Amino acid sequence: MRIAVVEPLGAPRKLLDELAAPLRVAGHEVCFESERSTDVEILRRRAEGAAVVILANIPFGGDLIRALPELRMLSVAFTGTDHVDCAACRERGIWVCNAAGYATQATAEMTIALMLGALRCVAEGDRVVRQGGVRTYLGKELRGRKVGIVGTGAIGLRVAELLLAFGCEVVAWSRSIRKEALALGVTYVDLDELLATCDIVSLHTPLTEETKLLFDRERIARMKPGSLLLNVSRGGVVDSHALAVALEEGHLKGAGIDVFEMEPPIPADHPLLAAPNTLLAPHGGFATEEALAKRARIVFENVTAWLEGHPSNVVVRGRSL
C-alpha cells in the first residue's frame, strides 16, 4: 500500500523515518515531500496511487479527492478539517482522521502571549526602541481582568487554567457546559452577558455553519468598550472588516489575531493590517517543536490504527477495510 505524505510536517526527518519504519517493515511504501505546494495538479501527482494521504493544512478539495480513485484514508495533521472536502470523502467512503489535541498547550500559550503582548504594548515598545524613542504609553496587567472564553473545548479549557493562574476572573460561553470547566471555577454565562462585561474575549471555536462570522459587526458592537478580542481559532469566525472598524473608532482597545480568512500571506489591503493596537501572527499558535513532533506521531498512529481495523480520531467514517 502506498502512503503519501504530500506536504512537510515540520518534524525532524529522523523522527519521521522512525515513525514510518514499522509501516515500511510491513511492506508499505511511505513517501515524503520536502516542499509545500497548494497546486492541485502537483498534489494529484504526489497522491497518485496512494491509499493513504497524510497532509497538514493545505486545501484538499472535492475535485482532487475525486481524481484519486485509490484513496481510502486521509490522516490530517491538524485539529480542524475545514480545509478538506469532507462531503466528498463521505461520498467516496474515505476515512478522515485528525490530530486532535496535538497543539492544545502550544495554542493556549500563544493565546496568553497575544493577550500579554496587547496589554503591555510589546510591539509598540519594540518599534519605539528601534526608532530611538522613549516610552509614551502605559500598559495594563492581566491579573484581575475578566476574561470570556468562547468555546470550552480542550484549548479553551487550557486557556482558562492559565488565566486562573494569572489571577483572572474567567467566564465562558459554549454550546455545551463542561464539568471540567465548572471544576476549575469557570462560570458559564450567555454570550451577550459575556460580551458586555468582559475586558478580554478569547475565541476557541471550530469553524462551522453556526460559528461562521459569529463575531460580526453587531456582536463586536456588543463588546465592552475598551476591551480586547483574541482569535486563535479560525479566521472565518470573525468579520475582519467589522473588527478593523471597531478598532479604528476606538470601541475596542486592541486585538490579537493569529488566524485569518486565508492562510498567510494575507493580502496587502487586508483591513487588520492598518488597524490600530492590533497584534498579528502568521497562524503560528500551533507551531512549536513539541507540538509538531506530537502531531507527527498522531498522524502515523492514525494510519496504523486504521490499518488494524480500529480507526482513531475519526472525523469522517468511511467504508470498512
Side-chain angles (χ1 to χ4, degrees):
M1 182 178 292
R2 184 167 188 264
I3 300 166
V5 184
V6 297
E7 66 172 309
L9 297 180
R13 183 55 188 264
K14 180 180 178 182
L15 172 61
L16 296 176
D17 284 332
E18 289 174 0
L19 296 171
L23 294 168
R24 287 171 170 157
V25 169
H28 303 295
E29 176 189 5
V30 183
C31 304
F32 292 100
E33 296 292 339
S34 59
E35 294 184 5
R36 188 177 189 274
S37 176
T38 58
D39 184 277
V40 174
E41 181 56 27
I42 291 175
L43 291 174
R44 187 197 64 76
R45 290 198 300 269
R46 289 178 177 180
E48 190 172 17
V52 176
V53 165
I54 296 174
L55 68 148
N57 65 339
I58 53 173
F60 218 78
D63 290 343
L64 178 56
I65 289 166
R66 284 184 282 270
L68 300 170
E70 296 182 53
L71 181 61
R72 299 172 68 188
M73 190 262 193
L74 288 176
S75 188
V76 182
F78 230 63
T79 302
T81 55
D82 45 281
H83 57 297
V84 174
D85 191 333
C86 289
C89 290
R90 290 187 186 95
E91 291 172 10
R92 291 263 328 272
I94 295 168
W95 292 83
V96 179
C97 301
N98 71 352
Y102 82 92
T104 297
Q105 182 67 24
T107 306
E109 289 186 8
M110 173 62 92
T111 303
I112 301 300
L114 288 172
M115 284 186 193
L116 292 171
L119 286 170
R120 299 305 302 271
C121 310
V122 171
E124 175 66 10
D126 179 84
R127 184 189 65 79
V128 166
V129 170
R130 292 177 187 279
Q131 293 180 355
V134 298
R135 180 186 55 77
T136 58
Y137 56 84
L138 283 176
K140 291 184 177 182
E141 295 175 7
L142 182 55
R143 180 181 176 85
R145 300 291 156 198
K146 185 174 183 179
V147 184
I149 303 292
V150 177
T152 52
I155 295 172
L157 283 175
R158 184 59 182 142
V159 170
E161 287 182 307
L162 296 176
L163 289 169
L164 290 166
F166 270 93
C168 296
E169 176 187 357
V170 182
V171 299
W173 175 84
S174 190
R175 62 184 179 181
S176 60
I177 294 176
R178 298 282 299 276
K179 62 181 180 181
E180 298 95 331
L182 297 175
L184 288 173
V186 175
T187 302
Y188 281 91
V189 298
D190 66 48
L191 185 55
D192 283 344
E193 180 181 343
L194 183 150
L195 297 177
T197 62
C198 286
D199 304 303
I200 303 170
V201 175
S202 189
L203 308 184
H204 302 283
T205 66
L207 181 62
T208 65
E209 287 301 318
E210 291 74 25
T211 63
K212 186 177 181 180
L213 296 181
L214 179 66
F215 274 67
D216 56 9
R217 180 179 59 82
E218 182 180 349
R219 281 214 171 85
I220 291 172
R222 293 179 191 172
M223 290 178 63
K224 180 180 178 180
S227 60
L228 303 178
L229 179 64
L230 281 293
N231 188 15
V232 296
S233 59
R234 286 292 182 268
V237 174
V238 175
D239 183 333
S240 293
H241 291 275
L243 175 57
V245 170
L247 291 161
E248 290 161 3
E249 293 180 348
H251 174 62
L252 296 187
K253 175 64 176 177
I257 305 296
D258 186 43
V259 286
F260 305 88
E261 301 86 345
M262 69 293 292
E263 285 298 311
I266 61 176
D269 61 352
H270 194 283
L272 291 178
L273 288 174
N277 304 318
T278 304
L279 197 57
L280 305 179
H283 197 182
F286 67 94
T288 65
E289 292 180 6
E290 296 86 350
L292 296 188
K294 184 175 181 179
R295 79 171 185 178
R297 292 188 181 94
I298 291 172
V299 294
F300 277 93
E301 288 168 0
N302 286 346
V303 174
T304 299
W306 175 75
L307 288 168
E308 293 175 349
H310 49 83
S312 55
N313 298 308
V314 176
V315 177
V316 174
R317 184 167 294 275
R319 296 191 182 95
S320 299
L321 286 173

